[in-house]
Amino acid sequence: MKVLVIGGGAREHALCRSLSLDPDVTALHCAPGNAGIGEVAQLHPVDALDGPAVARLATELEAELVVVGPEAPLVAGVADAVRAAGIPCFGPSQEAALLEGSKAFAKDVMAEAEVPTARSYVCTTAEEIDEALDAFGAPYVVKDDGLAAGKGVVVTDDLAAAREHALACVRVVIEEFLDGPEVSLFAITDGETVLPLQPAQDFKRALDGDEGPNTGGMGAYSPLPWADPKLVDEVMETVLQPTVDELRRRGTPFSGLLYAGLAITSRGVRVIEFNARFGDPETQVVLARLRTPLAGVLLAAANGTLDAQPPLKWRDDAAVTVVIASHNYPDTPRTGDPVEGLDEVAAQDAPHAYVLHAGTKHEGDAVLSAGGRVLSVTATGKDLVQARERAYQAVGRIRLDGSQHRTDIARKAAEG
């Protein structure tokens, strides 16, 4: 099978790494990719938001499966353009991707499907914003209705900061605060059959102890030793299957990766948000634990034959990923700094630890930082303690001037 992956972050590197290890994949391409992806896939320049251009590239490469990684191309309708060219595509249609593209749309779907979520108001005026903030009180949860690269949500006790963020949005969702730990659960679906993956937990705040500003994610781990063993079954029954069924009922079936961001509250599981693609950095740890070859599962979802797939197989190993971010991330991150130590990790830590590239580019033989989140250092081990040790040992070999990373990823879970 010839596969083309669209995107250029650590999520796409994780996807490409798994696909490169799949014996059924005979040729692997990625557009636009990054310095690390270039080691496992052939790179091609493309505007990932340009559906016709992506479809042309897939046709030229004679791709038999296109996997769209990021949310922005999905919301822009890239998957529709690829399918219109007669090529199977893993990723929802533009209409179905609204589940991530509009938080108000997602709330409407959840209401119809009776999916448990936070009470909320959709606001477009200053008066509505003030009424909603007053109704819920602190801590305030304010979400930009549209895409914001994981940074459109403000959770704060500061009324003025909450109001300022809300007024900066064209349309905003203000909702009640959900207590309890957060869990990410992915599911592969063809619009009818839903195949859940293993849950993971990510770390959104920039600094140790969940301090600092919200980011796209600073690390993740899987499995979750503290979670109820019946969690996946419960979420399948109350969240994932009802949502997929409701979208199909509306005539906009969701085919691809449905990502449920969940809060395990004192009143039970509640959906915080939906995403329409693999999450970053959770994908890095979930795929590190998946034993089933990836390409066939994604193709079955694209072709509508997921019901014929055998159950997924998982490694018993734990996995931890630690994000190395550039100076001043998430504000205005510095780019163009040399990344050193990658060869040392490959020589001394493989195969248990490896580096997935996010914001990197080649300049001659040098690898330079090219984004806010630069690398995802990922490791596996017999348990979270060993996986953490291996991940941070590898992180210690990386040299990037001014870089930052959290030192507490999975610490609490590892300590039990």
Side-chain angles (χ1 to χ4, degrees):
M1 193 194 312
K2 296 176 183 175
V3 183
L4 169 63
V5 176
I6 302 301
R11 161 187 45 228
E12 287 75 36
H13 194 175
L15 286 163
C16 285
R17 179 181 182 273
S18 289
L19 290 165
S20 73
L21 298 172
D22 186 332
D24 287 337
V25 176
T26 52
L28 182 58
H29 303 270
C30 186
N34 61 38
I37 295 173
E39 294 173 13
V40 295
Q42 188 177 342
L43 303 187
H44 304 269
V46 79
D47 178 355
L49 298 176
D50 186 338
V54 171
R56 274 196 305 275
L57 176 63
T59 303
E60 287 166 16
L61 295 173
E62 299 179 343
E64 291 154 288
L65 174 66
V66 174
V67 179
V68 182
E71 61 274 21
L74 293 167
V75 172
V78 168
D80 302 273
V82 172
R83 279 190 279 267
I87 300 168
C89 185
F90 182 81
S93 67
Q94 184 174 32
E95 285 183 292
L98 260 186
L99 201 62
E100 176 167 5
S102 167
K103 293 185 172 56
F105 175 78
K107 287 288 187 185
D108 186 55
V109 170
M110 284 188 268
E112 288 293 324
E114 298 183 355
V115 168
T117 186
R119 293 180 300 121
S120 63
Y121 294 105
V122 179
C123 308
T124 54
T125 68
E127 187 180 24
E128 289 172 347
I129 287 166
D130 289 338
E131 283 178 12
L133 292 171
D134 185 53
F136 288 129
Y140 304 101
V141 182
V142 183
K143 299 180 174 183
D144 190 333
D145 178 55
L147 291 182
K151 296 185 279 288
V153 178
V154 165
V155 181
T156 179
D157 290 320
D158 184 336
L159 176 59
R163 192 170 188 273
E164 181 184 13
H165 182 69
L167 289 169
C169 303
V170 176
R171 186 157 75 150
V172 66
V173 174
I174 295 172
E175 62 183 39
E176 67 175 328
F177 177 76
L178 296 174
D179 63 326
E182 294 184 15
V183 172
S184 300
L185 185 60
F186 304 162
I188 292 170
T189 178
D190 58 8
E192 289 193 35
T193 302
V194 181
L195 208 59
L197 306 186
Q198 289 286 307
Q201 186 173 51
D202 77 330
F203 295 76
K204 285 277 189 277
R205 299 284 183 171
L207 307 176
D208 284 9
D210 292 328
E211 299 288 330
N214 243 8
T215 72
M218 294 299 289
Y221 71 93
S222 179
L224 313 182
W226 49 268
D228 187 328
K230 296 193 285 290
L231 175 66
V232 174
D233 291 340
E234 181 189 343
V235 175
M236 267 291 290
E237 189 180 326
T238 62
V239 175
L240 298 170
Q241 193 71 57
T243 300
V244 169
D245 291 345
E246 170 61 19
L247 286 164
R248 190 174 69 253
R249 188 190 68 77
R250 290 174 176 227
T252 54
F254 188 104
S255 164
L257 195 290
L258 178 58
Y259 164 142
L262 309 164
I264 313 300
T265 77
S266 52
R267 293 171 294 144
V269 174
R270 298 287 185 273
V271 175
I272 301 168
E273 64 174 356
F274 282 125
N275 291 329
R277 39 70 195 182
F278 280 100
D280 184 346
E282 300 98 318
T283 303
Q284 289 85 302
V285 291
V286 173
L287 292 186
R289 299 186 57 225
L290 180 65
R291 276 179 53 206
T292 301
L294 185 62
V297 184
L298 302 187
L299 184 63
N303 284 338
T305 57
L306 213 48
D307 59 340
Q309 272 293 121
L312 297 176
K313 293 179 180 166
W314 296 92
R315 295 185 177 89
D316 293 331
D317 287 3
V320 171
T321 194
V322 179
V323 170
I324 297 178
S326 55
H327 179 71
N328 208 35
Y329 175 75
D331 294 328
T332 47
R334 193 172 81 204
T335 59
D337 290 309
V339 180
E340 298 173 327
L342 297 172
D343 291 343
E344 292 166 39
V345 175
Q348 298 180 54
D349 300 296
H352 302 298
Y354 48 89
V355 180
L356 297 168
H357 291 233
T360 65
K361 66 176 181 181
H362 267 303
E363 196 166 281
D365 290 337
V367 174
L368 304 182
S369 62
R373 292 186 295 174
V374 181
L375 305 169
S376 282
V377 180
T378 305
T380 56
K382 67 179 187 294
D383 53 25
L384 286 174
V385 172
Q386 188 179 51
R388 277 193 89 243
E389 284 172 1
R390 287 171 169 172
Y392 279 107
Q393 188 172 32
V395 166
R397 302 191 204 281
I398 304 291
R399 297 178 297 283
L400 172 62
D401 187 47
S403 68
Q404 53 176 318
H405 66 271
R406 283 184 57 159
T407 65
D408 63 347
I409 303 300
R411 180 191 289 157
K412 205 180 286 185
E415 289 171 352

